[in-house]
Amino acid sequence: MTQIRDSIELDFCDVLFRPKRTTLNSRREADVIRKFKFKYYPQTLMSCGIMAANMATTGTFEINDVLQKYQAITCLHKHYDFQNKENYRYITQNYDKPESAHNSYTFISTGLRDDKEKLFALLADKNFKIDKLCIDIANGYIPKLTDFVKEVREKFPDILIMVGNVVTGDMTQDLILSGADIVKVGIGPGSVCTTRKLTGVGRPQLSAILECSDAAHGVDGLICSDGGCTCAGDVAKAFGAGADFVMLGGMFAGTDEAAGDLIERVVETNEVIKEGGKTRFVQKTERYKQFYGMSSQLAQEKHFGGMACYRASEGKVVEVSYKGSIENVIQEILGGIRSTMTYIGARELKNISKCTTFYRVNRQLNEVFGKS
Ligand code: 5GP
């Protein structure tokens, strides 16, 4: 018989942090760098826990170059061919840059349809200095994924493995016990994702984080909340709900360092000016960058030479307003998180969830009059 779970499921927009008495006097006292320890990966990692998504637009070398300075992570997209000498050299040279801390902040990515032999050869290559792997498929519940995680862990006991995506505690624990250090959580929340529309499957992200983090921490694993953050407050809420890492796509899209051409369009504003006795609307140039889902029709065409007939697009293509350098975005996010920490009395990133009480609300943002 069909079952219905009628407990309330929450998204980021359904909650706000309750401020608490604090011993912090300034956001400068809030430490956003956390020392991460992992279940299998033998090393520690000092990081702010923010990750750029392994999407073709955001998992780029250029984003990696900037984010590593902030001790933030980039999951390179899986379409970089490391048999190409320049790409290979990027990784080996990046290893020697002081700010990169020896590629500490760089993951490579794979799906299940990709060339396994090539991947294993790269991970075994002592000159290719990456020891962090993101195994990413849309439906983390298929048995082939668990088998693959076991196989990779057996072959490479000392690498850092992140795998996903799931939204329930049972599967989170399965993947960790199969060899994952981090489980990626999120089905359907992504800004260019249409899974919920196409399949009717998904779970509100805050509830998914609450359940999966509890399950993961119980077996010494960690989770990464993936998708659905639209502003710095959402990133803080993901940490507040128990996420160890937070992955962002749309928030990093539209930046100089994101892949894709800048699109310029001249548009008429509502403002009117008089010129030579005639009135006309003032024009302005709007700038955008294209951002697309990795299972959108466009991505399938660009990277796989077309959509296989048994698949349907579960992603869309959008134009994101141009944001300038990604430095502006990461600084705003880290500033926002520091401020949240000050409001709730969390001196360290790891303590955000311990200090979190959420109010359930029915409106996240104030109404605005006019455009800002
Ligand atoms: P965002 O931060 O933009 O809200 O979400 C980014 C996440 O959306 C990615 O890390 C990935 O998990 C997910 N995503 C990216 N492309 C697609 C797609 O085409 N379809 C679906 N269902 N999810 C996608």
Side-chain angles (χ1 to χ4, degrees):
M1 201 184 100
T2 305
Q3 294 176 23
I4 294 201
R5 299 223 168 173
D6 58 6
S7 55
I8 291 164
E9 292 285 319
L10 300 169
D11 245 315
F12 296 130
C13 61
D14 297 317
V15 298
L16 288 170
F17 285 99
R18 176 182 184 273
K20 289 182 182 163
R21 279 205 194 90
T22 174
T23 55
L24 281 80
N25 282 309
S26 152
R27 64 186 76 178
R28 246 173 287 145
E29 294 169 33
D31 185 1
V32 290
I33 303 299
R34 169 177 165 188
K35 182 177 187 173
F36 287 94
K37 289 185 186 158
F38 303 92
K39 185 173 176 77
Y40 302 98
Y41 183 63
Q43 299 177 44
T44 55
L45 179 66
M46 299 297 291
S47 170
C48 65
I50 292 169
M51 294 190 178
N54 52 321
M55 299 170 73
T57 32
T58 56
T60 64
F61 290 160
E62 292 78 8
I63 285 189
N64 187 47
D65 285 342
V66 178
L67 289 191
Q68 64 195 7
K69 291 192 278 181
Y70 293 86
Q71 292 170 277
I73 292 159
T74 302
C75 294
L76 296 176
H77 64 71
K78 63 182 186 180
H79 305 293
Y80 277 119
D81 176 6
F82 290 107
Q83 283 181 328
N84 170 309
K85 278 198 187 119
E86 258 177 56
N87 291 343
Y88 188 87
R89 204 174 309 127
Y90 172 84
I91 298 294
T92 47
Q93 286 179 353
N94 192 51
Y95 185 79
D96 296 324
K97 285 189 206 155
E99 69 274 17
S100 76
H102 305 312
N103 288 332
S104 286
Y105 303 106
T106 315
F107 280 61
I108 53 167
S109 304
T110 186
L112 289 183
R113 286 192 291 156
D114 301 303
D115 190 332
K116 196 161 84 174
E117 300 316 316
K118 249 193 203 172
L119 174 74
F120 288 176
L122 264 188
L123 291 172
D125 177 354
K126 291 275 173 274
N127 296 317
F128 186 79
K129 317 256 184 195
I130 296 262
D131 60 358
K132 299 183 180 65
L133 176 67
C134 169
I135 307 171
D136 183 29
I137 64 167
N139 175 1
Y141 288 78
I142 63 173
K144 246 170 107 176
L145 180 67
T146 319
D147 293 344
F148 186 60
V149 173
K150 284 183 189 155
E151 186 184 349
V152 180
R153 178 54 72 205
E154 216 176 279
K155 272 201 157 61
F156 303 99
D158 289 346
I159 67 166
L160 176 44
I161 300 178
M162 175 161 74
V163 62
N165 281 21
V166 303
V167 286
T168 53
D170 51 356
M171 205 60 214
T172 301
Q173 291 192 331
D174 266 15
L175 288 168
I176 291 166
L177 298 175
S178 300
D181 295 286
I182 309 169
V183 171
K184 212 144 63 74
V185 171
I187 294 186
S191 57
V192 281
C193 165
T194 55
T195 296
R196 290 177 180 175
K197 206 169 164 187
L198 187 83
T199 68
V201 178
R203 185 172 192 188
Q205 189 64 3
L206 194 94
S207 292
I209 299 171
L210 286 165
E211 182 179 314
C212 296
S213 60
D214 186 50
H217 297 159
V219 289
D220 294 330
L222 302 173
I223 68 151
C224 171
S225 166
D226 177 18
C229 288
T230 57
C231 53
D234 290 348
V235 181
K237 288 174 190 176
F239 284 128
D244 303 286
F245 296 90
V246 181
M247 180 173 269
L248 306 173
M251 285 186 72
F252 288 147
T255 55
D256 287 326
E257 296 80 0
D261 296 331
L262 195 61
I263 304 161
E264 290 197 335
R265 212 170 283 133
V266 178
V267 294
E268 275 182 354
T269 65
N270 291 331
E271 238 178 279
V272 178
I273 50 162
K274 268 196 169 169
E275 227 174 36
K278 287 184 181 165
T279 52
R280 67 169 181 84
F281 288 108
V282 175
Q283 293 188 326
K284 68 168 185 185
T285 306
E286 285 185 343
R287 296 194 285 177
Y288 304 92
K289 281 187 103 165
Q290 197 179 53
F291 178 53
Y292 54 90
M294 291 314 293
S295 61
S296 62
Q297 178 98 28
L298 179 70
Q300 296 295 320
E301 277 161 16
K302 268 191 183 212
H303 306 292
F304 298 103
M307 179 84 71
C309 58
Y310 61 89
R311 295 172 73 93
S313 163
E314 285 186 30
K316 58 187 173 184
V317 184
V318 296
E319 284 177 359
V320 178
S321 292
Y322 173 64
K323 297 173 187 155
S325 170
I326 197 170
E327 303 236 11
N328 306 330
V329 183
I330 186 75
Q331 281 172 12
E332 182 174 292
I333 296 171
L334 293 175
I337 294 169
R338 277 194 198 96
S339 192
T340 307
M341 291 168 71
T342 314
Y343 272 116
I344 64 172
R347 207 167 269 279
E348 290 168 17
L349 188 65
K350 195 175 178 200
N351 290 339
I352 293 192
S353 67
K354 285 192 196 121
C355 300
T356 292
T357 303
F358 284 130
Y359 291 118
R360 243 189 80 206
V361 297
N362 50 22
R363 207 174 62 172
Q364 166 173 238
L365 303 173
N366 309 333
E367 264 176 42
V368 285
F369 298 101
K371 261 189 171 176
S372 59

mmCIF file with all atom_site columns, all heavy atoms in Angstrom, residues 1 54 71 81 83 121-122 124 163 172 179-180 193 222 240 306 308 314 319-320 322 344 346 350 357 370:
data_model
loop_
_atom_site.group_PDB
_atom_site.id
_atom_site.type_symbol
_atom_site.label_atom_id
_atom_site.label_alt_id
_atom_site.label_comp_id
_atom_site.label_asym_id
_atom_site.label_entity_id
_atom_site.label_seq_id
_atom_site.pdbx_PDB_ins_code
_atom_site.Cartn_x
_atom_site.Cartn_y
_atom_site.Cartn_z
_atom_site.occupancy
_atom_site.B_iso_or_equiv
_atom_site.pdbx_formal_charge
_atom_site.auth_seq_id
_atom_site.auth_comp_id
_atom_site.auth_asym_id
_atom_site.auth_atom_id
_atom_site.pdbx_PDB_model_num
ATOM 1   N N   . MET A 1 1   ? 0.839  -1.202 0.000   1.00 0.00 ? 1   MET A N   1
ATOM 2   C CA  . MET A 1 1   ? 0.000  0.000  0.000   1.00 0.00 ? 1   MET A CA  1
ATOM 3   C C   . MET A 1 1   ? 0.877  1.257  0.000   1.00 0.00 ? 1   MET A C   1
ATOM 4   O O   . MET A 1 1   ? 1.902  1.295  0.664   1.00 0.00 ? 1   MET A O   1
ATOM 5   C CB  . MET A 1 1   ? -0.874 -0.018 1.250   1.00 0.00 ? 1   MET A CB  1
ATOM 6   C CG  . MET A 1 1   ? -2.099 0.835  1.145   1.00 0.00 ? 1   MET A CG  1
ATOM 7   S SD  . MET A 1 1   ? -3.004 0.825  2.711   1.00 0.00 ? 1   MET A SD  1
ATOM 8   C CE  . MET A 1 1   ? -2.469 2.371  3.391   1.00 0.00 ? 1   MET A CE  1
ATOM 9   N N   . ASN A 1 54  ? 30.847 20.378 -9.326  1.00 0.00 ? 54  ASN A N   1
ATOM 10  C CA  . ASN A 1 54  ? 31.598 19.800 -10.449 1.00 0.00 ? 54  ASN A CA  1
ATOM 11  C C   . ASN A 1 54  ? 30.787 19.906 -11.746 1.00 0.00 ? 54  ASN A C   1
ATOM 12  O O   . ASN A 1 54  ? 30.659 18.953 -12.490 1.00 0.00 ? 54  ASN A O   1
ATOM 13  C CB  . ASN A 1 54  ? 31.948 18.337 -10.146 1.00 0.00 ? 54  ASN A CB  1
ATOM 14  C CG  . ASN A 1 54  ? 30.736 17.529 -9.732  1.00 0.00 ? 54  ASN A CG  1
ATOM 15  O OD1 . ASN A 1 54  ? 29.883 18.023 -9.016  1.00 0.00 ? 54  ASN A OD1 1
ATOM 16  N ND2 . ASN A 1 54  ? 30.651 16.300 -10.182 1.00 0.00 ? 54  ASN A ND2 1
ATOM 17  N N   . GLN A 1 71  ? 40.675 28.687 1.132   1.00 0.00 ? 71  GLN A N   1
ATOM 18  C CA  . GLN A 1 71  ? 40.570 27.330 1.697   1.00 0.00 ? 71  GLN A CA  1
ATOM 19  C C   . GLN A 1 71  ? 39.192 26.715 1.401   1.00 0.00 ? 71  GLN A C   1
ATOM 20  O O   . GLN A 1 71  ? 38.615 25.994 2.212   1.00 0.00 ? 71  GLN A O   1
ATOM 21  C CB  . GLN A 1 71  ? 40.911 27.335 3.191   1.00 0.00 ? 71  GLN A CB  1
ATOM 22  C CG  . GLN A 1 71  ? 42.394 27.642 3.394   1.00 0.00 ? 71  GLN A CG  1
ATOM 23  C CD  . GLN A 1 71  ? 42.749 27.903 4.838   1.00 0.00 ? 71  GLN A CD  1
ATOM 24  O OE1 . GLN A 1 71  ? 42.578 29.016 5.328   1.00 0.00 ? 71  GLN A OE1 1
ATOM 25  N NE2 . GLN A 1 71  ? 43.251 26.900 5.516   1.00 0.00 ? 71  GLN A NE2 1
ATOM 26  N N   . ASP A 1 81  ? 40.057 16.511 -19.817 1.00 0.00 ? 81  ASP A N   1
ATOM 27  C CA  . ASP A 1 81  ? 40.780 15.322 -20.244 1.00 0.00 ? 81  ASP A CA  1
ATOM 28  C C   . ASP A 1 81  ? 42.223 15.454 -19.753 1.00 0.00 ? 81  ASP A C   1
ATOM 29  O O   . ASP A 1 81  ? 42.965 16.327 -20.214 1.00 0.00 ? 81  ASP A O   1
ATOM 30  C CB  . ASP A 1 81  ? 40.727 15.230 -21.782 1.00 0.00 ? 81  ASP A CB  1
ATOM 31  C CG  . ASP A 1 81  ? 41.551 14.068 -22.298 1.00 0.00 ? 81  ASP A CG  1
ATOM 32  O OD1 . ASP A 1 81  ? 42.063 13.284 -21.474 1.00 0.00 ? 81  ASP A OD1 1
ATOM 33  O OD2 . ASP A 1 81  ? 41.682 13.962 -23.535 1.00 0.00 ? 81  ASP A OD2 1
ATOM 34  N N   . GLN A 1 83  ? 44.590 13.485 -20.195 1.00 0.00 ? 83  GLN A N   1
ATOM 35  C CA  . GLN A 1 83  ? 45.595 13.004 -21.141 1.00 0.00 ? 83  GLN A CA  1
ATOM 36  C C   . GLN A 1 83  ? 46.113 14.180 -21.977 1.00 0.00 ? 83  GLN A C   1
ATOM 37  O O   . GLN A 1 83  ? 47.177 14.107 -22.581 1.00 0.00 ? 83  GLN A O   1
ATOM 38  C CB  . GLN A 1 83  ? 45.002 11.918 -22.026 1.00 0.00 ? 83  GLN A CB  1
ATOM 39  C CG  . GLN A 1 83  ? 44.925 10.620 -21.243 1.00 0.00 ? 83  GLN A CG  1
ATOM 40  C CD  . GLN A 1 83  ? 44.380 9.475  -22.027 1.00 0.00 ? 83  GLN A CD  1
ATOM 41  O OE1 . GLN A 1 83  ? 43.534 9.641  -22.899 1.00 0.00 ? 83  GLN A OE1 1
ATOM 42  N NE2 . GLN A 1 83  ? 44.848 8.280  -21.706 1.00 0.00 ? 83  GLN A NE2 1
ATOM 43  N N   . ALA A 1 121 ? 44.008 4.754  -13.581 1.00 0.00 ? 121 ALA A N   1
ATOM 44  C CA  . ALA A 1 121 ? 45.387 5.046  -13.986 1.00 0.00 ? 121 ALA A CA  1
ATOM 45  C C   . ALA A 1 121 ? 45.814 6.412  -13.438 1.00 0.00 ? 121 ALA A C   1
ATOM 46  O O   . ALA A 1 121 ? 46.927 6.577  -12.939 1.00 0.00 ? 121 ALA A O   1
ATOM 47  C CB  . ALA A 1 121 ? 45.507 5.010  -15.507 1.00 0.00 ? 121 ALA A CB  1
ATOM 48  N N   . LEU A 1 122 ? 44.887 7.376  -13.477 1.00 0.00 ? 122 LEU A N   1
ATOM 49  C CA  . LEU A 1 122 ? 45.206 8.716  -12.953 1.00 0.00 ? 122 LEU A CA  1
ATOM 50  C C   . LEU A 1 122 ? 45.458 8.658  -11.450 1.00 0.00 ? 122 LEU A C   1
ATOM 51  O O   . LEU A 1 122 ? 46.419 9.236  -10.936 1.00 0.00 ? 122 LEU A O   1
ATOM 52  C CB  . LEU A 1 122 ? 44.025 9.657  -13.173 1.00 0.00 ? 122 LEU A CB  1
ATOM 53  C CG  . LEU A 1 122 ? 43.993 10.558 -14.396 1.00 0.00 ? 122 LEU A CG  1
ATOM 54  C CD1 . LEU A 1 122 ? 42.821 11.528 -14.262 1.00 0.00 ? 122 LEU A CD1 1
ATOM 55  C CD2 . LEU A 1 122 ? 45.283 11.323 -14.610 1.00 0.00 ? 122 LEU A CD2 1
ATOM 56  N N   . ALA A 1 124 ? 46.399 6.249  -9.715  1.00 0.00 ? 124 ALA A N   1
ATOM 57  C CA  . ALA A 1 124 ? 47.608 5.475  -9.398  1.00 0.00 ? 124 ALA A CA  1
ATOM 58  C C   . ALA A 1 124 ? 48.877 6.219  -9.824  1.00 0.00 ? 124 ALA A C   1
ATOM 59  O O   . ALA A 1 124 ? 49.973 5.879  -9.373  1.00 0.00 ? 124 ALA A O   1
ATOM 60  C CB  . ALA A 1 124 ? 47.540 4.121  -10.107 1.00 0.00 ? 124 ALA A CB  1
ATOM 61  N N   . VAL A 1 163 ? 30.781 10.883 -2.391  1.00 0.00 ? 163 VAL A N   1
ATOM 62  C CA  . VAL A 1 163 ? 29.874 10.205 -3.311  1.00 0.00 ? 163 VAL A CA  1
ATOM 63  C C   . VAL A 1 163 ? 28.426 10.640 -3.079  1.00 0.00 ? 163 VAL A C   1
ATOM 64  O O   . VAL A 1 163 ? 28.024 10.983 -1.974  1.00 0.00 ? 163 VAL A O   1
ATOM 65  C CB  . VAL A 1 163 ? 30.037 8.665  -3.175  1.00 0.00 ? 163 VAL A CB  1
ATOM 66  C CG1 . VAL A 1 163 ? 29.676 8.182  -1.794  1.00 0.00 ? 163 VAL A CG1 1
ATOM 67  C CG2 . VAL A 1 163 ? 29.216 7.930  -4.217  1.00 0.00 ? 163 VAL A CG2 1
ATOM 68  N N   . THR A 1 172 ? 22.814 7.026  3.192   1.00 0.00 ? 172 THR A N   1
ATOM 69  C CA  . THR A 1 172 ? 24.012 7.774  3.604   1.00 0.00 ? 172 THR A CA  1
ATOM 70  C C   . THR A 1 172 ? 24.946 6.814  4.346   1.00 0.00 ? 172 THR A C   1
ATOM 71  O O   . THR A 1 172 ? 26.149 6.738  4.073   1.00 0.00 ? 172 THR A O   1
ATOM 72  C CB  . THR A 1 172 ? 23.619 8.951  4.533   1.00 0.00 ? 172 THR A CB  1
ATOM 73  O OG1 . THR A 1 172 ? 22.727 9.796  3.834   1.00 0.00 ? 172 THR A OG1 1
ATOM 74  C CG2 . THR A 1 172 ? 24.825 9.743  4.995   1.00 0.00 ? 172 THR A CG2 1
ATOM 75  N N   . GLY A 1 179 ? 32.726 2.757  2.012   1.00 0.00 ? 179 GLY A N   1
ATOM 76  C CA  . GLY A 1 179 ? 34.041 3.338  1.756   1.00 0.00 ? 179 GLY A CA  1
ATOM 77  C C   . GLY A 1 179 ? 34.074 4.832  1.490   1.00 0.00 ? 179 GLY A C   1
ATOM 78  O O   . GLY A 1 179 ? 35.133 5.396  1.218   1.00 0.00 ? 179 GLY A O   1
ATOM 79  N N   . ALA A 1 180 ? 32.923 5.510  1.579   1.00 0.00 ? 180 ALA A N   1
ATOM 80  C CA  . ALA A 1 180 ? 32.923 6.953  1.327   1.00 0.00 ? 180 ALA A CA  1
ATOM 81  C C   . ALA A 1 180 ? 33.282 7.729  2.585   1.00 0.00 ? 180 ALA A C   1
ATOM 82  O O   . ALA A 1 180 ? 32.870 7.357  3.693   1.00 0.00 ? 180 ALA A O   1
ATOM 83  C CB  . ALA A 1 180 ? 31.542 7.391  0.838   1.00 0.00 ? 180 ALA A CB  1
ATOM 84  N N   . CYS A 1 193 ? 17.992 22.394 -11.904 1.00 0.00 ? 193 CYS A N   1
ATOM 85  C CA  . CYS A 1 193 ? 17.580 20.995 -11.883 1.00 0.00 ? 193 CYS A CA  1
ATOM 86  C C   . CYS A 1 193 ? 16.083 20.900 -12.151 1.00 0.00 ? 193 CYS A C   1
ATOM 87  O O   . CYS A 1 193 ? 15.307 21.689 -11.617 1.00 0.00 ? 193 CYS A O   1
ATOM 88  C CB  . CYS A 1 193 ? 17.910 20.466 -10.490 1.00 0.00 ? 193 CYS A CB  1
ATOM 89  S SG  . CYS A 1 193 ? 17.132 18.933 -10.123 1.00 0.00 ? 193 CYS A SG  1
ATOM 90  N N   . LEU A 1 222 ? 30.925 12.114 6.967   1.00 0.00 ? 222 LEU A N   1
ATOM 91  C CA  . LEU A 1 222 ? 30.568 13.528 6.833   1.00 0.00 ? 222 LEU A CA  1
ATOM 92  C C   . LEU A 1 222 ? 29.617 13.678 5.658   1.00 0.00 ? 222 LEU A C   1
ATOM 93  O O   . LEU A 1 222 ? 29.541 12.791 4.807   1.00 0.00 ? 222 LEU A O   1
ATOM 94  C CB  . LEU A 1 222 ? 31.831 14.366 6.572   1.00 0.00 ? 222 LEU A CB  1
ATOM 95  C CG  . LEU A 1 222 ? 32.937 14.296 7.625   1.00 0.00 ? 222 LEU A CG  1
ATOM 96  C CD1 . LEU A 1 222 ? 34.182 15.034 7.135   1.00 0.00 ? 222 LEU A CD1 1
ATOM 97  C CD2 . LEU A 1 222 ? 32.470 14.902 8.948   1.00 0.00 ? 222 LEU A CD2 1
ATOM 98  N N   . GLY A 1 240 ? 24.099 25.041 9.691   1.00 0.00 ? 240 GLY A N   1
ATOM 99  C CA  . GLY A 1 240 ? 23.297 24.993 10.923  1.00 0.00 ? 240 GLY A CA  1
ATOM 100 C C   . GLY A 1 240 ? 22.540 23.682 11.062  1.00 0.00 ? 240 GLY A C   1
ATOM 101 O O   . GLY A 1 240 ? 22.361 23.157 12.153  1.00 0.00 ? 240 GLY A O   1
ATOM 102 N N   . GLY A 1 306 ? 25.055 14.350 -27.676 1.00 0.00 ? 306 GLY A N   1
ATOM 103 C CA  . GLY A 1 306 ? 23.605 14.163 -27.854 1.00 0.00 ? 306 GLY A CA  1
ATOM 104 C C   . GLY A 1 306 ? 23.006 13.407 -26.695 1.00 0.00 ? 306 GLY A C   1
ATOM 105 O O   . GLY A 1 306 ? 23.718 12.822 -25.876 1.00 0.00 ? 306 GLY A O   1
ATOM 106 N N   . ALA A 1 308 ? 21.017 10.431 -25.027 1.00 0.00 ? 308 ALA A N   1
ATOM 107 C CA  . ALA A 1 308 ? 20.670 9.025  -25.311 1.00 0.00 ? 308 ALA A CA  1
ATOM 108 C C   . ALA A 1 308 ? 19.146 8.872  -25.293 1.00 0.00 ? 308 ALA A C   1
ATOM 109 O O   . ALA A 1 308 ? 18.459 9.561  -24.535 1.00 0.00 ? 308 ALA A O   1
ATOM 110 C CB  . ALA A 1 308 ? 21.304 8.133  -24.247 1.00 0.00 ? 308 ALA A CB  1
ATOM 111 N N   . GLU A 1 314 ? 17.046 16.376 -17.379 1.00 0.00 ? 314 GLU A N   1
ATOM 112 C CA  . GLU A 1 314 ? 16.635 16.702 -16.006 1.00 0.00 ? 314 GLU A CA  1
ATOM 113 C C   . GLU A 1 314 ? 17.310 17.988 -15.558 1.00 0.00 ? 314 GLU A C   1
ATOM 114 O O   . GLU A 1 314 ? 17.615 18.182 -14.390 1.00 0.00 ? 314 GLU A O   1
ATOM 115 C CB  . GLU A 1 314 ? 16.945 15.540 -15.049 1.00 0.00 ? 314 GLU A CB  1
ATOM 116 C CG  . GLU A 1 314 ? 15.981 14.400 -15.216 1.00 0.00 ? 314 GLU A CG  1
ATOM 117 C CD  . GLU A 1 314 ? 16.155 13.293 -14.183 1.00 0.00 ? 314 GLU A CD  1
ATOM 118 O OE1 . GLU A 1 314 ? 16.571 13.575 -13.049 1.00 0.00 ? 314 GLU A OE1 1
ATOM 119 O OE2 . GLU A 1 314 ? 15.865 12.132 -14.522 1.00 0.00 ? 314 GLU A OE2 1
ATOM 120 N N   . GLU A 1 319 ? 20.301 32.071 -17.977 1.00 0.00 ? 319 GLU A N   1
ATOM 121 C CA  . GLU A 1 319 ? 21.298 33.140 -18.054 1.00 0.00 ? 319 GLU A CA  1
ATOM 122 C C   . GLU A 1 319 ? 21.361 33.787 -16.682 1.00 0.00 ? 319 GLU A C   1
ATOM 123 O O   . GLU A 1 319 ? 20.353 34.240 -16.157 1.00 0.00 ? 319 GLU A O   1
ATOM 124 C CB  . GLU A 1 319 ? 20.892 34.157 -19.120 1.00 0.00 ? 319 GLU A CB  1
ATOM 125 C CG  . GLU A 1 319 ? 21.142 33.636 -20.515 1.00 0.00 ? 319 GLU A CG  1
ATOM 126 C CD  . GLU A 1 319 ? 20.693 34.596 -21.598 1.00 0.00 ? 319 GLU A CD  1
ATOM 127 O OE1 . GLU A 1 319 ? 20.160 35.671 -21.283 1.00 0.00 ? 319 GLU A OE1 1
ATOM 128 O OE2 . GLU A 1 319 ? 20.886 34.250 -22.780 1.00 0.00 ? 319 GLU A OE2 1
ATOM 129 N N   . VAL A 1 320 ? 22.569 33.781 -16.104 1.00 0.00 ? 320 VAL A N   1
ATOM 130 C CA  . VAL A 1 320 ? 22.758 34.328 -14.760 1.00 0.00 ? 320 VAL A CA  1
ATOM 131 C C   . VAL A 1 320 ? 23.392 35.703 -14.892 1.00 0.00 ? 320 VAL A C   1
ATOM 132 O O   . VAL A 1 320 ? 24.317 35.880 -15.699 1.00 0.00 ? 320 VAL A O   1
ATOM 133 C CB  . VAL A 1 320 ? 23.713 33.402 -13.959 1.00 0.00 ? 320 VAL A CB  1
ATOM 134 C CG1 . VAL A 1 320 ? 23.975 33.956 -12.578 1.00 0.00 ? 320 VAL A CG1 1
ATOM 135 C CG2 . VAL A 1 320 ? 23.130 32.013 -13.859 1.00 0.00 ? 320 VAL A CG2 1
ATOM 136 N N   . TYR A 1 322 ? 25.749 38.729 -14.637 1.00 0.00 ? 322 TYR A N   1
ATOM 137 C CA  . TYR A 1 322 ? 27.204 38.777 -14.476 1.00 0.00 ? 322 TYR A CA  1
ATOM 138 C C   . TYR A 1 322 ? 27.553 39.335 -13.090 1.00 0.00 ? 322 TYR A C   1
ATOM 139 O O   . TYR A 1 322 ? 26.994 40.343 -12.659 1.00 0.00 ? 322 TYR A O   1
ATOM 140 C CB  . TYR A 1 322 ? 27.788 39.651 -15.588 1.00 0.00 ? 322 TYR A CB  1
ATOM 141 C CG  . TYR A 1 322 ? 29.252 39.923 -15.447 1.00 0.00 ? 322 TYR A CG  1
ATOM 142 C CD1 . TYR A 1 322 ? 30.188 38.898 -15.511 1.00 0.00 ? 322 TYR A CD1 1
ATOM 143 C CD2 . TYR A 1 322 ? 29.713 41.232 -15.239 1.00 0.00 ? 322 TYR A CD2 1
ATOM 144 C CE1 . TYR A 1 322 ? 31.546 39.162 -15.374 1.00 0.00 ? 322 TYR A CE1 1
ATOM 145 C CE2 . TYR A 1 322 ? 31.071 41.504 -15.116 1.00 0.00 ? 322 TYR A CE2 1
ATOM 146 C CZ  . TYR A 1 322 ? 31.972 40.455 -15.172 1.00 0.00 ? 322 TYR A CZ  1
ATOM 147 O OH  . TYR A 1 322 ? 33.306 40.718 -15.032 1.00 0.00 ? 322 TYR A OH  1
ATOM 148 N N   . ILE A 1 344 ? 24.619 33.632 16.684  1.00 0.00 ? 344 ILE A N   1
ATOM 149 C CA  . ILE A 1 344 ? 24.173 32.439 17.429  1.00 0.00 ? 344 ILE A CA  1
ATOM 150 C C   . ILE A 1 344 ? 25.217 31.958 18.445  1.00 0.00 ? 344 ILE A C   1
ATOM 151 O O   . ILE A 1 344 ? 25.019 30.947 19.123  1.00 0.00 ? 344 ILE A O   1
ATOM 152 C CB  . ILE A 1 344 ? 23.791 31.277 16.470  1.00 0.00 ? 344 ILE A CB  1
ATOM 153 C CG1 . ILE A 1 344 ? 25.001 30.772 15.671  1.00 0.00 ? 344 ILE A CG1 1
ATOM 154 C CG2 . ILE A 1 344 ? 22.660 31.692 15.541  1.00 0.00 ? 344 ILE A CG2 1
ATOM 155 C CD1 . ILE A 1 344 ? 24.710 29.519 14.857  1.00 0.00 ? 344 ILE A CD1 1
ATOM 156 N N   . ALA A 1 346 ? 28.468 30.974 17.887  1.00 0.00 ? 346 ALA A N   1
ATOM 157 C CA  . ALA A 1 346 ? 29.358 29.874 17.473  1.00 0.00 ? 346 ALA A CA  1
ATOM 158 C C   . ALA A 1 346 ? 30.723 30.455 17.125  1.00 0.00 ? 346 ALA A C   1
ATOM 159 O O   . ALA A 1 346 ? 30.858 31.188 16.157  1.00 0.00 ? 346 ALA A O   1
ATOM 160 C CB  . ALA A 1 346 ? 28.772 29.149 16.267  1.00 0.00 ? 346 ALA A CB  1
ATOM 161 N N   . LYS A 1 350 ? 32.625 24.394 13.182  1.00 0.00 ? 350 LYS A N   1
ATOM 162 C CA  . LYS A 1 350 ? 32.115 23.072 13.565  1.00 0.00 ? 350 LYS A CA  1
ATOM 163 C C   . LYS A 1 350 ? 30.949 23.174 14.555  1.00 0.00 ? 350 LYS A C   1
ATOM 164 O O   . LYS A 1 350 ? 30.114 22.283 14.648  1.00 0.00 ? 350 LYS A O   1
ATOM 165 C CB  . LYS A 1 350 ? 33.268 22.261 14.181  1.00 0.00 ? 350 LYS A CB  1
ATOM 166 C CG  . LYS A 1 350 ? 32.957 20.798 14.273  1.00 0.00 ? 350 LYS A CG  1
ATOM 167 C CD  . LYS A 1 350 ? 34.100 19.959 14.755  1.00 0.00 ? 350 LYS A CD  1
ATOM 168 C CE  . LYS A 1 350 ? 33.609 18.526 14.838  1.00 0.00 ? 350 LYS A CE  1
ATOM 169 N NZ  . LYS A 1 350 ? 34.412 17.718 15.692  1.00 0.00 ? 350 LYS A NZ  1
ATOM 170 N N   . THR A 1 357 ? 19.299 26.979 16.753  1.00 0.00 ? 357 THR A N   1
ATOM 171 C CA  . THR A 1 357 ? 17.871 26.737 16.940  1.00 0.00 ? 357 THR A CA  1
ATOM 172 C C   . THR A 1 357 ? 17.213 27.454 15.774  1.00 0.00 ? 357 THR A C   1
ATOM 173 O O   . THR A 1 357 ? 17.502 28.625 15.528  1.00 0.00 ? 357 THR A O   1
ATOM 174 C CB  . THR A 1 357 ? 17.355 27.350 18.257  1.00 0.00 ? 357 THR A CB  1
ATOM 175 O OG1 . THR A 1 357 ? 18.134 26.806 19.335  1.00 0.00 ? 357 THR A OG1 1
ATOM 176 C CG2 . THR A 1 357 ? 15.889 27.038 18.489  1.00 0.00 ? 357 THR A CG2 1
ATOM 177 N N   . GLY A 1 370 ? 10.571 47.998 -5.017  1.00 0.00 ? 370 GLY A N   1
ATOM 178 C CA  . GLY A 1 370 ? 11.485 48.422 -6.074  1.00 0.00 ? 370 GLY A CA  1
ATOM 179 C C   . GLY A 1 370 ? 12.671 47.511 -6.155  1.00 0.00 ? 370 GLY A C   1
ATOM 180 O O   . GLY A 1 370 ? 12.895 46.658 -5.285  1.00 0.00 ? 370 GLY A O   1
#
